[in-house]
Amino acid sequence: MKQLLWLTGLILLAPMGLVGCAPETETANEIVTNGEEGGTLTLIADAEDRMREGFVSKDGWELTFNHVYVTFDNIRAYQAQSPFDPDTESQPNAITFVELLNSPMTVDLVGGTEETPIVTTAIAPPGHYNALYWEMVTATEGKFAGSTLVLDGTAQRDGRTINFAIALDKPVAHFCGEYVGDERKGFLETNGVAELETTFHFDHFFGRSDRPIDQSPNDEAIGFQPFANIADGDAVNVTSQELQQLLTEEEYNTLVFSVTELGHVGEGHCRIEPL
């Protein structure tokens, strides 16, 4: 299995309130924080149709989701002078960047009225925003305190139904390049409106039944069976700390890696670093 060195021995449980800081960009000559000129830049979060409609995991569980809560923080959008490659250790060579969010915000990716909920909106100078930094952090208050990601839904297989609530605490930072999809995003004109997107690929977490078991994303995904194995009757209600005790070491390491594979910009990849 593909593993990152920093994942070795890493646990999902982190101190409550752990929040990282967005990277400094020394080449930027302008910092805008909700100024009064330019256009409107909006960041949305997309969990994709499979999470809204349900799908079958790599191990045959039919999954449906009531809520998927993610807590965001420290979001910056960049106008990079050259395309930013997240596969390198560099940071965007930015001429302008905009601070879109600087305090934790919890968003329900599937349970609201919008298919792609808005995370944040800001006034920004015109130009092409072709790089993005964002953090998935631990919520510090409310019913999601202590978690970065909460999955609430139902799994069914072979006549068995399991209601699950999986609360994970794995703070990670995402360094992303330009959105990759059917249409390009991030082009903002004066007095105009532009959209950026964080995309969550949950098939990298649960896998998918329509792909070979030994190929991506299934070869790196935890699936649902490990959660079914620790169910108490027809329910699973667990936290990161409990999962570390209940799962095997291999299952837990796979879970950690699965969380880091969630964040994208469309089909574009992000560099992931722990917080």
PDB file of all heavy atoms in Angstrom, residues 146-158:
ATOM      1  N   GLY A 146     -14.046  18.534  18.894  1.00  0.00           N
ATOM      2  CA  GLY A 146     -13.154  17.389  18.963  1.00  0.00           C
ATOM      3  C   GLY A 146     -13.056  16.600  17.678  1.00  0.00           C
ATOM      4  O   GLY A 146     -12.298  15.634  17.607  1.00  0.00           O
ATOM      5  N   SER A 147     -13.791  16.998  16.636  1.00  0.00           N
ATOM      6  CA  SER A 147     -13.790  16.259  15.377  1.00  0.00           C
ATOM      7  C   SER A 147     -13.472  17.180  14.208  1.00  0.00           C
ATOM      8  O   SER A 147     -13.865  18.341  14.189  1.00  0.00           O
ATOM      9  CB  SER A 147     -15.146  15.590  15.130  1.00  0.00           C
ATOM     10  OG  SER A 147     -15.480  14.699  16.165  1.00  0.00           O
ATOM     11  N   THR A 148     -12.791  16.638  13.214  1.00  0.00           N
ATOM     12  CA  THR A 148     -12.581  17.335  11.952  1.00  0.00           C
ATOM     13  C   THR A 148     -13.595  16.892  10.901  1.00  0.00           C
ATOM     14  O   THR A 148     -13.978  17.657  10.021  1.00  0.00           O
ATOM     15  CB  THR A 148     -11.178  17.072  11.398  1.00  0.00           C
ATOM     16  OG1 THR A 148     -11.000  15.656  11.211  1.00  0.00           O
ATOM     17  CG2 THR A 148     -10.104  17.571  12.345  1.00  0.00           C
ATOM     18  N   LEU A 149     -14.039  15.630  11.006  1.00  0.00           N
ATOM     19  CA  LEU A 149     -14.912  15.026  10.003  1.00  0.00           C
ATOM     20  C   LEU A 149     -15.884  14.083  10.704  1.00  0.00           C
ATOM     21  O   LEU A 149     -15.468  13.240  11.503  1.00  0.00           O
ATOM     22  CB  LEU A 149     -14.071  14.240   8.984  1.00  0.00           C
ATOM     23  CG  LEU A 149     -14.793  13.348   7.982  1.00  0.00           C
ATOM     24  CD1 LEU A 149     -15.629  14.186   7.017  1.00  0.00           C
ATOM     25  CD2 LEU A 149     -13.795  12.489   7.209  1.00  0.00           C
ATOM     26  N   VAL A 150     -17.174  14.235  10.423  1.00  0.00           N
ATOM     27  CA  VAL A 150     -18.206  13.371  11.003  1.00  0.00           C
ATOM     28  C   VAL A 150     -19.043  12.792   9.872  1.00  0.00           C
ATOM     29  O   VAL A 150     -19.611  13.528   9.056  1.00  0.00           O
ATOM     30  CB  VAL A 150     -19.110  14.136  11.988  1.00  0.00           C
ATOM     31  CG1 VAL A 150     -20.191  13.208  12.542  1.00  0.00           C
ATOM     32  CG2 VAL A 150     -18.290  14.739  13.123  1.00  0.00           C
ATOM     33  N   LEU A 151     -19.133  11.455   9.823  1.00  0.00           N
ATOM     34  CA  LEU A 151     -19.911  10.750   8.819  1.00  0.00           C
ATOM     35  C   LEU A 151     -21.122  10.117   9.490  1.00  0.00           C
ATOM     36  O   LEU A 151     -20.988   9.296  10.407  1.00  0.00           O
ATOM     37  CB  LEU A 151     -19.065   9.653   8.165  1.00  0.00           C
ATOM     38  CG  LEU A 151     -17.776  10.119   7.485  1.00  0.00           C
ATOM     39  CD1 LEU A 151     -16.877   8.940   7.171  1.00  0.00           C
ATOM     40  CD2 LEU A 151     -18.087  10.903   6.228  1.00  0.00           C
ATOM     41  N   ASP A 152     -22.321  10.472   9.018  1.00  0.00           N
ATOM     42  CA  ASP A 152     -23.569  10.007   9.608  1.00  0.00           C
ATOM     43  C   ASP A 152     -24.409   9.390   8.501  1.00  0.00           C
ATOM     44  O   ASP A 152     -24.794  10.074   7.544  1.00  0.00           O
ATOM     45  CB  ASP A 152     -24.298  11.189  10.253  1.00  0.00           C
ATOM     46  CG  ASP A 152     -25.653  10.831  10.841  1.00  0.00           C
ATOM     47  OD1 ASP A 152     -26.209   9.775  10.500  1.00  0.00           O
ATOM     48  OD2 ASP A 152     -26.165  11.619  11.643  1.00  0.00           O
ATOM     49  N   GLY A 153     -24.698   8.078   8.623  1.00  0.00           N
ATOM     50  CA  GLY A 153     -25.469   7.445   7.566  1.00  0.00           C
ATOM     51  C   GLY A 153     -25.868   6.032   7.895  1.00  0.00           C
ATOM     52  O   GLY A 153     -25.878   5.612   9.058  1.00  0.00           O
ATOM     53  N   THR A 154     -26.187   5.274   6.828  1.00  0.00           N
ATOM     54  CA  THR A 154     -26.670   3.905   6.958  1.00  0.00           C
ATOM     55  C   THR A 154     -25.951   3.014   5.958  1.00  0.00           C
ATOM     56  O   THR A 154     -25.707   3.421   4.811  1.00  0.00           O
ATOM     57  CB  THR A 154     -28.188   3.841   6.701  1.00  0.00           C
ATOM     58  OG1 THR A 154     -28.856   4.704   7.620  1.00  0.00           O
ATOM     59  CG2 THR A 154     -28.713   2.426   6.869  1.00  0.00           C
ATOM     60  N   ALA A 155     -25.603   1.810   6.392  1.00  0.00           N
ATOM     61  CA  ALA A 155     -24.976   0.825   5.523  1.00  0.00           C
ATOM     62  C   ALA A 155     -25.832  -0.437   5.502  1.00  0.00           C
ATOM     63  O   ALA A 155     -26.328  -0.879   6.548  1.00  0.00           O
ATOM     64  CB  ALA A 155     -23.569   0.501   6.022  1.00  0.00           C
ATOM     65  N   GLN A 156     -25.986  -1.037   4.319  1.00  0.00           N
ATOM     66  CA  GLN A 156     -26.798  -2.239   4.173  1.00  0.00           C
ATOM     67  C   GLN A 156     -26.064  -3.278   3.328  1.00  0.00           C
ATOM     68  O   GLN A 156     -25.452  -2.942   2.304  1.00  0.00           O
ATOM     69  CB  GLN A 156     -28.138  -1.909   3.519  1.00  0.00           C
ATOM     70  CG  GLN A 156     -29.050  -1.024   4.359  1.00  0.00           C
ATOM     71  CD  GLN A 156     -30.368  -0.746   3.676  1.00  0.00           C
ATOM     72  OE1 GLN A 156     -30.410  -0.312   2.525  1.00  0.00           O
ATOM     73  NE2 GLN A 156     -31.469  -0.987   4.377  1.00  0.00           N
ATOM     74  N   ARG A 157     -26.137  -4.532   3.761  1.00  0.00           N
ATOM     75  CA  ARG A 157     -25.596  -5.638   2.974  1.00  0.00           C
ATOM     76  C   ARG A 157     -26.161  -6.955   3.486  1.00  0.00           C
ATOM     77  O   ARG A 157     -26.202  -7.174   4.708  1.00  0.00           O
ATOM     78  CB  ARG A 157     -24.058  -5.683   3.045  1.00  0.00           C
ATOM     79  CG  ARG A 157     -23.430  -6.588   1.977  1.00  0.00           C
ATOM     80  CD  ARG A 157     -21.938  -6.710   2.140  1.00  0.00           C
ATOM     81  NE  ARG A 157     -21.603  -7.632   3.224  1.00  0.00           N
ATOM     82  CZ  ARG A 157     -20.359  -7.995   3.545  1.00  0.00           C
ATOM     83  NH1 ARG A 157     -19.340  -7.464   2.890  1.00  0.00           N
ATOM     84  NH2 ARG A 157     -20.152  -8.828   4.537  1.00  0.00           N
ATOM     85  N   ASP A 158     -26.576  -7.813   2.569  1.00  0.00           N
ATOM     86  CA  ASP A 158     -27.047  -9.160   2.903  1.00  0.00           C
ATOM     87  C   ASP A 158     -28.117  -9.149   3.993  1.00  0.00           C
ATOM     88  O   ASP A 158     -28.099  -9.968   4.926  1.00  0.00           O
ATOM     89  CB  ASP A 158     -25.865 -10.027   3.347  1.00  0.00           C
ATOM     90  CG  ASP A 158     -24.805 -10.182   2.266  1.00  0.00           C
ATOM     91  OD1 ASP A 158     -25.170 -10.098   1.080  1.00  0.00           O
ATOM     92  OD2 ASP A 158     -23.628 -10.359   2.624  1.00  0.00           O
TER      93      ASP A 158
END
